[in-house]
Amino acid sequence: MSRNSLWFNERPRHLGWLLLLLPVLAVLLVAVGTNLWRDQPSPATVPAVAVSPRGPDVAVRVGLPMQPGVRIDAGGTAAPAKPALPNCPYQQLDLVTAHGKVQRACVATTRMLQSGDLRSYVLEPQGVSDWTLRVDSGDGRVMAASLSAPGRGDYRCEEDTCAGFSIGPRDVHGGRTLVVSRAVLMAEDGVAMHLSASLKAPGDQQDADLACNEPGIAIVERSGAVLTLCPSGGGGVVRLEHERRLYSLRGAAGDTLLVGVDAGGAVDFVQIGALECQGLACSGATTQPGDDPASESGRRFSFSGTTVTDGLRGGAAALLNGSAVLPPF
């Protein structure tokens, strides 16, 4: 009997075994497939990466840490970073040299000096700074300024060359703000220095050297600004008109109060700046002669709620209270 005939004779038995094994193989295949599917990461846990299409010639910019003192400008070019300016505890001067170098000098609170009609604002160095600024003024305008530091130069301006300086109006405490906007000060060799600052100057009553020895005359403007006028010299009789006299009381800051007294000794005119009153409108204003009848020096002027106004500007007005003595002249 050939081997082929033997196979055909035993075929029913082989087919039986195959039929028995097929279910087992199917179960194994299902189990393996399930395990493989469970081992795959879920779509929610796979981070999506957006890839922008790039051409073959597009370069990819790689960000690298920059060295200290280097910044990236708008064009992507590395450039030296500007040094940070210090924060000053009191006041500051911003300086720009002829070469464009920016500096900040810290200065102390403003000190005021008075010599006749000339008022000086002095800003002295504070901390590690070494710059000193002095601004001289008269009649409410800047007449000269100097900026100096040991070994670093002396820069000045005078009269019309002091453009950029301005003195603000008084605040409610009588103080002022001195504003410097890119003023140009020159050294002897022609080198320029640009100066910018906003400086506070206290009121006269807040400065021991300028405060009135007596109460003085408080002039309160409608805006709330306060001026305390105490004559420091330069007063006297400025005009005689048929036994009517006009007296001048000049304060340390250059403000002048004019008081007219008629032949009967009554005050009939008061003026300070553009504000004035005449006749009966000067109620509350009185005067008494001094101890020496032969001299007008020592004459006292007193005010109690006297109102002066500016007829041209409408709402401008001020209220006067207090007293002052005419100084020797």
Side-chain angles (χ1 to χ4, degrees):
M1 182 181 298
S2 68
R3 297 180 59 181
N4 291 333
S5 62
L6 181 62
W7 165 256
F8 284 109
N9 291 333
E10 295 180 353
R11 183 173 54 181
R13 188 177 60 179
H14 288 296
L15 289 175
W17 283 108
L18 289 175
L19 292 175
L20 290 174
L21 290 176
L22 282 177
V24 176
L25 291 175
V27 172
L28 291 175
L29 289 175
V30 171
V32 172
T34 301
N35 289 333
L36 290 176
W37 178 81
R38 287 179 179 176
D39 291 340
Q40 294 296 323
S42 62
T45 61
V46 178
V49 179
V51 180
S52 59
R54 296 181 181 272
D57 297 331
V58 176
V60 179
R61 181 176 294 177
V62 179
L64 299 176
M66 301 304 299
Q67 297 179 355
V70 178
R71 63 179 177 85
I72 298 296
D73 60 18
T77 304
K82 295 182 178 179
L85 299 177
N87 293 321
C88 298
Y90 298 106
Q91 302 186 98
Q92 64 195 38
L93 308 176
D94 290 334
L95 313 174
V96 181
T97 67
H99 303 292
K101 182 180 179 180
V102 180
Q103 306 177 39
R104 173 164 291 173
C106 297
V107 291
T109 55
T110 307
R111 187 164 59 93
M112 295 186 296
L113 304 174
Q114 191 75 32
S115 177
D117 295 338
L118 182 68
R119 169 159 296 191
S120 299
Y121 302 92
V122 180
L123 288 305
E124 296 177 337
Q126 193 275 333
V128 297
S129 300
D130 52 4
W131 289 100
T132 298
L133 174 66
R134 177 180 176 130
V135 179
D136 298 328
S137 67
D139 294 328
R141 64 185 183 89
V142 173
M143 303 176 65
S146 63
L147 177 70
S148 60
R152 303 178 68 178
D154 189 353
Y155 301 84
R156 298 178 178 272
C157 70
E158 294 182 1
E159 297 292 344
D160 296 338
T161 64
C162 287
F165 286 87
S166 62
I167 302 175
R170 296 181 184 87
D171 60 22
V172 295
H173 302 292
R176 295 179 182 270
T177 300
L178 176 62
V179 178
V180 189
S181 179
R182 291 192 59 81
V184 180
L185 292 86
M186 304 293 294
E188 292 185 357
D189 57 2
V191 177
M193 178 77 77
H194 290 81
L195 170 65
S196 296
S198 180
L199 309 167
K200 297 293 185 180
D204 292 356
Q205 289 296 88
Q206 298 171 285
D207 191 304
D209 296 330
L210 299 176
C212 298
N213 296 325
E214 297 188 11
I217 302 172
I219 304 171
V220 183
E221 297 179 358
R222 179 168 292 174
S223 63
V226 179
L227 163 67
T228 302
L229 187 144
C230 46
S232 60
V237 180
V238 295
R239 190 163 63 244
L240 295 174
E241 298 175 346
H242 305 291
E243 297 185 354
R244 180 180 182 274
R245 300 193 174 196
L246 189 64
Y247 297 89
S248 171
L249 301 171
R250 188 172 180 84
D255 303 279
T256 300
L257 179 67
L258 297 177
V259 182
V261 180
D262 63 16
V267 175
D268 63 355
F269 175 76
V270 178
Q271 181 187 61
I272 180 165
L275 307 178
E276 65 177 44
C277 67
Q278 297 185 33
L280 296 177
C282 297
S283 61
T286 59
T287 183
Q288 298 84 31
D291 296 334
D292 184 3
S295 173
E296 292 289 355
S297 178
R299 176 177 284 274
R300 178 176 294 274
F301 298 90
S302 301
F303 301 89
S304 178
T306 303
T307 302
V308 289
T309 60
D310 184 352
L312 297 178
R313 292 188 298 173
L319 198 67
L320 280 64
N321 287 285
S323 63
V325 175
L326 191 70
F329 56 93

